[in-house]
Short mmCIF file of all heavy atoms in Angstrom, two decimals:
data_model
loop_
_atom_site.label_atom_id
_atom_site.label_comp_id
_atom_site.label_asym_id
_atom_site.label_seq_id
_atom_site.Cartn_x
_atom_site.Cartn_y
_atom_site.Cartn_z
N VAL X 68 79.21 106.00 124.08
CA VAL X 68 79.22 107.39 124.05
C VAL X 68 77.95 107.84 123.48
O VAL X 68 77.57 107.41 122.29
CB VAL X 68 80.44 107.97 123.20
CG1 VAL X 68 80.33 109.51 122.97
CG2 VAL X 68 81.75 107.62 123.92
N VAL X 69 77.20 108.75 124.06
CA VAL X 69 75.96 109.24 123.55
C VAL X 69 76.33 110.77 123.25
O VAL X 69 76.52 111.52 124.06
CB VAL X 69 74.80 109.20 124.59
CG1 VAL X 69 73.56 109.77 123.99
CG2 VAL X 69 74.57 107.82 124.96
N HIS X 70 76.11 110.98 121.85
CA HIS X 70 76.39 112.41 121.46
C HIS X 70 75.08 113.06 121.35
O HIS X 70 74.10 112.73 120.67
CB HIS X 70 77.00 112.36 119.96
CG HIS X 70 77.59 113.62 119.52
ND1 HIS X 70 77.39 114.06 118.19
CD2 HIS X 70 78.24 114.53 120.14
CE1 HIS X 70 77.91 115.31 118.06
NE2 HIS X 70 78.48 115.51 119.22
N VAL X 71 75.01 114.24 122.10
CA VAL X 71 73.77 114.98 122.23
C VAL X 71 73.66 115.94 121.06
O VAL X 71 74.35 116.87 120.83
CB VAL X 71 73.83 115.83 123.48
CG1 VAL X 71 72.49 116.54 123.68
CG2 VAL X 71 74.07 114.83 124.74
N GLY X 72 72.61 115.68 120.26
CA GLY X 72 72.34 116.47 119.05
C GLY X 72 70.91 117.07 119.00
O GLY X 72 70.47 117.35 117.87
N THR X 73 70.26 117.26 120.20
CA THR X 73 68.93 117.75 120.27
C THR X 73 68.92 119.26 119.91
O THR X 73 69.88 119.97 120.25
CB THR X 73 68.36 117.61 121.71
OG1 THR X 73 69.34 118.09 122.65
CG2 THR X 73 68.21 116.12 122.00
N ARG X 74 67.95 119.64 119.28
CA ARG X 74 67.79 121.00 118.88
C ARG X 74 66.41 121.56 119.23
O ARG X 74 65.42 120.92 119.31
CB ARG X 74 67.99 121.14 117.32
CG ARG X 74 69.37 120.50 116.72
CD ARG X 74 70.52 121.42 117.23
NE ARG X 74 71.69 120.81 116.72
CZ ARG X 74 72.97 121.39 116.84
NH1 ARG X 74 73.04 122.59 117.42
NH2 ARG X 74 74.01 120.78 116.37
N GLY X 75 66.45 123.00 119.43
CA GLY X 75 65.19 123.70 119.71
C GLY X 75 65.29 124.79 120.77
O GLY X 75 66.08 124.58 121.64
N THR X 76 64.62 125.80 120.44
CA THR X 76 64.58 127.00 121.33
C THR X 76 63.20 127.55 121.45
O THR X 76 62.51 127.74 120.49
CB THR X 76 65.54 128.12 120.95
OG1 THR X 76 66.82 127.64 120.69
CG2 THR X 76 65.59 129.28 121.90
N GLU X 77 62.79 127.67 122.81
CA GLU X 77 61.42 128.18 122.97
C GLU X 77 61.50 129.49 123.82
O GLU X 77 62.30 129.58 124.78
CB GLU X 77 60.54 127.18 123.74
CG GLU X 77 60.33 125.93 123.07
CD GLU X 77 59.67 124.92 123.98
OE1 GLU X 77 59.03 125.30 124.86
OE2 GLU X 77 59.60 123.70 123.60
N ARG X 78 60.66 130.48 123.55
CA ARG X 78 60.72 131.80 124.19
C ARG X 78 59.44 132.09 124.83
O ARG X 78 58.34 131.83 124.31
CB ARG X 78 61.23 132.82 123.20
CG ARG X 78 61.01 134.29 123.81
CD ARG X 78 61.72 135.31 122.76
NE ARG X 78 61.45 136.65 123.06
CZ ARG X 78 61.97 137.67 122.55
NH1 ARG X 78 62.86 137.55 121.60
NH2 ARG X 78 61.62 138.96 122.88
N ALA X 79 59.46 132.49 126.13
CA ALA X 79 58.22 132.86 126.83
C ALA X 79 58.46 134.11 127.62
O ALA X 79 59.53 134.39 128.22
CB ALA X 79 57.75 131.65 127.73
N SER X 80 57.48 135.02 127.69
CA SER X 80 57.60 136.21 128.51
C SER X 80 57.38 135.88 129.94
O SER X 80 56.77 135.03 130.37
CB SER X 80 56.54 137.23 128.09
OG SER X 80 56.79 137.65 126.75
N ALA X 81 58.05 136.72 130.85
CA ALA X 81 57.91 136.59 132.30
C ALA X 81 57.57 138.03 132.80
O ALA X 81 56.89 138.78 131.94
CB ALA X 81 59.26 136.10 132.92
N GLU X 82 57.82 138.34 133.83
CA GLU X 82 57.44 139.65 134.44
C GLU X 82 58.36 140.72 133.85
O GLU X 82 59.51 140.62 133.71
CB GLU X 82 57.60 139.63 136.11
CG GLU X 82 56.65 138.73 136.71
CD GLU X 82 56.76 138.80 138.20
OE1 GLU X 82 57.36 139.73 138.68
OE2 GLU X 82 56.04 138.05 138.96
N GLY X 83 57.67 141.93 133.64
CA GLY X 83 58.37 143.05 133.32
C GLY X 83 59.23 142.84 131.85
O GLY X 83 58.59 142.33 130.91
N ASP X 84 60.47 143.12 131.90
CA ASP X 84 61.23 143.02 130.64
C ASP X 84 61.98 141.64 130.61
O ASP X 84 62.81 141.41 129.79
CB ASP X 84 62.31 144.08 130.48
CG ASP X 84 63.32 144.16 131.63
OD1 ASP X 84 63.27 143.34 132.52
OD2 ASP X 84 64.25 145.06 131.50
N THR X 85 61.65 140.70 131.55
CA THR X 85 62.33 139.43 131.53
C THR X 85 61.77 138.50 130.59
O THR X 85 60.54 138.41 130.42
CB THR X 85 62.22 138.85 133.01
OG1 THR X 85 62.72 139.65 133.95
CG2 THR X 85 63.04 137.48 132.97
N VAL X 86 62.62 137.87 129.89
CA VAL X 86 62.14 136.76 128.83
C VAL X 86 62.84 135.44 129.28
O VAL X 86 63.98 135.39 129.49
CB VAL X 86 62.56 137.19 127.43
CG1 VAL X 86 62.22 136.18 126.42
CG2 VAL X 86 61.94 138.56 126.95
N LEU X 87 61.99 134.41 129.28
CA LEU X 87 62.52 133.06 129.62
C LEU X 87 62.79 132.37 128.22
O LEU X 87 61.88 132.42 127.38
CB LEU X 87 61.51 132.37 130.54
CG LEU X 87 61.22 132.87 131.79
CD1 LEU X 87 60.22 131.93 132.51
CD2 LEU X 87 62.44 133.04 132.76
N VAL X 88 64.01 131.84 128.13
CA VAL X 88 64.40 131.21 126.92
C VAL X 88 64.79 129.78 127.32
O VAL X 88 65.80 129.63 128.02
CB VAL X 88 65.46 131.86 126.19
CG1 VAL X 88 65.81 131.19 124.84
CG2 VAL X 88 65.14 133.31 125.91
N ARG X 89 64.12 128.82 126.77
CA ARG X 89 64.35 127.41 127.15
C ARG X 89 65.01 126.79 125.85
O ARG X 89 64.51 126.80 124.80
CB ARG X 89 63.08 126.64 127.45
CG ARG X 89 63.34 125.14 127.74
CD ARG X 89 61.95 124.47 128.06
NE ARG X 89 61.91 123.09 127.96
CZ ARG X 89 60.80 122.32 128.09
NH1 ARG X 89 59.70 122.91 128.15
NH2 ARG X 89 60.94 121.03 128.05
N VAL X 90 66.23 126.23 126.06
CA VAL X 90 67.15 125.85 125.01
C VAL X 90 67.57 124.25 125.14
O VAL X 90 67.93 123.92 126.14
CB VAL X 90 68.36 126.71 124.94
CG1 VAL X 90 69.17 126.42 123.61
CG2 VAL X 90 68.12 128.14 125.09
N GLN X 91 67.43 123.61 124.11
CA GLN X 91 67.73 122.16 124.11
C GLN X 91 69.30 121.99 124.31
O GLN X 91 70.03 122.77 123.90
CB GLN X 91 67.20 121.43 122.85
CG GLN X 91 65.76 121.31 122.71
CD GLN X 91 65.13 120.60 123.81
OE1 GLN X 91 65.52 119.34 124.10
NE2 GLN X 91 64.16 121.14 124.46
N ALA X 92 69.76 120.98 125.00
CA ALA X 92 71.11 120.76 125.37
C ALA X 92 71.96 120.68 124.13
O ALA X 92 73.20 121.07 124.25
CB ALA X 92 71.25 119.48 126.17
N GLY X 93 71.50 120.20 123.02
CA GLY X 93 72.31 120.06 121.90
C GLY X 93 72.53 121.31 120.99
O GLY X 93 73.36 121.21 120.01
#
Side-chain angles (χ1 to χ4, degrees):
V68 172
V69 179
H70 192 220
V71 182
T73 54
R74 302 289 178 177
T76 302
E77 299 175 18
R78 174 172 168 166
S80 297
E82 294 183 6
D84 64 357
T85 300
V86 175
L87 298 180
V88 184
R89 178 179 166 190
V90 192
Q91 295 297 308

